[in-house]
């Protein structure tokens, strides 16, 4: 049988309050000692009772050394840089979480565009997806048509250029052919190769 959950509020009965303080103080001191032994940590614990009585624990012989070290770490200028680094790391972590959520959302949308995991979508979401797909298809067709028109125009210009080149070469070719034609005595036209 386990105990019920303890409500954290001030204990009104003085005797119960003192007993709870004594037990929890002992537990806290024990945990501080275990932390020191198991993890090789420097631990300093200071407790004042409601009557003003001091209880302390230190993993070293002098608690003042740990307190001084705490003051140096807490109030020195390098700590300000560390706290900025901590804040910066917190901001980076928040950015990471936002980007992760955005990535998951985009990945889900992409799967929906591929026709996957559609069962979980509502009717409105399916209609919105259909509209997006229609819009995407229309834009893809327009882009394809632009490229086909540009290619057709490019080929038209190439044909026109080749016709112009052909026209400039054609009169020259007809002059060369006529000079190679010789009418012989039998009234036949022969084409002679010029070497």
């Amino acid at each position: 049988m386990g105990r019920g959950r303890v409500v954290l509020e001030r204990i009104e009965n003085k005797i119960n309050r003192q007993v709870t303080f004594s037990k929890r103080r002992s537990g806290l001191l024990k945990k501080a000692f275990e932390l020191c032994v198991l993890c090789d940590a420097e631990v300093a614990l200071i407790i004042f009772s409601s009557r003003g009585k001091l209880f302390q624990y230190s993993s070293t012989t002098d608690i003042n050394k740990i307190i001084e070290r705490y003051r140096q770490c807490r109030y020195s200028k390098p700590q300000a840089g560390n706290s900025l680094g901590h804040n910066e790391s917190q901001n980076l972590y928040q950015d990471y979480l936002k980007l992760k959520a955005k990535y998951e959302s985009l990945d889900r949308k992409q799967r929906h565009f591929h026709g996957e995991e559609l069962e979980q979508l509502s009717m409105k979401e399916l209609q919105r997806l259909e509209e997006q797909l229609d819009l995407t298809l229309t834009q893809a067709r327009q882009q394809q048509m632009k490229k086909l028109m540009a290619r057709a125009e490019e080929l038209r210009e190439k044909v026109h250029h080749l016709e112009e080149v052909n026209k400039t070469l054609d009169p020259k070719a007809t002059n060369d052919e006529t000079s190679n034609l010789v009418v012989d005595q039998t009234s036949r036209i022969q084409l002679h190769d010029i070497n």
Side-chain angles (χ1 to χ4, degrees), residues 5-42:
R5 186 172 179 168
V6 177
V7 178
L8 289 179
E9 60 183 27
R10 185 175 187 272
I11 300 170
E12 296 300 325
N13 187 327
K14 284 184 178 183
I15 297 170
N16 289 345
R17 186 170 54 234
Q18 185 58 37
V19 170
T20 301
F21 174 77
S22 179
K23 286 181 179 179
R24 291 196 175 230
R25 182 195 69 224
S26 299
L28 190 56
L29 291 170
K30 181 180 175 187
K31 291 289 183 188
F33 172 74
E34 290 172 356
L35 183 64
C36 171
V37 172
L38 294 173
C39 302
D40 197 28
E42 288 188 32

Side-chain angles (χ1 to χ4, degrees), residues 62-79:
D62 188 10
I63 194 170
N64 292 326
K65 288 181 183 177
I66 297 175
I67 292 173
E68 187 58 37
R69 186 171 173 196
Y70 167 77
R71 285 183 181 152
Q72 286 175 353
C73 289
R74 180 75 176 119
Y75 300 112
S76 66
K77 290 182 182 178
Q79 179 62 26

Side-chain angles (χ1 to χ4, degrees), residues 18 21 25 46-56:
Q18 185 58 37
F21 174 77
R25 182 195 69 224
I46 302 171
I47 303 171
F48 287 100
S49 71
S50 59
R51 294 180 184 169
K53 188 174 179 185
L54 172 66
F55 301 93
Q56 67 183 27

Side-chain angles (χ1 to χ4, degrees), residues 17 19 42 48 66 70 73 78 91 94 103 121 139 146 148 155 157 159 178 182 194:
R17 186 170 54 234
V19 170
E42 288 188 32
F48 287 100
I66 297 175
Y70 167 77
C73 289
N91 290 339
Q94 292 297 324
Y103 167 77
L121 296 179
Q139 290 174 345
K146 282 181 186 176
L148 287 173
L155 290 174
E157 288 176 8
V159 166
T178 54
V182 177
I194 300 176

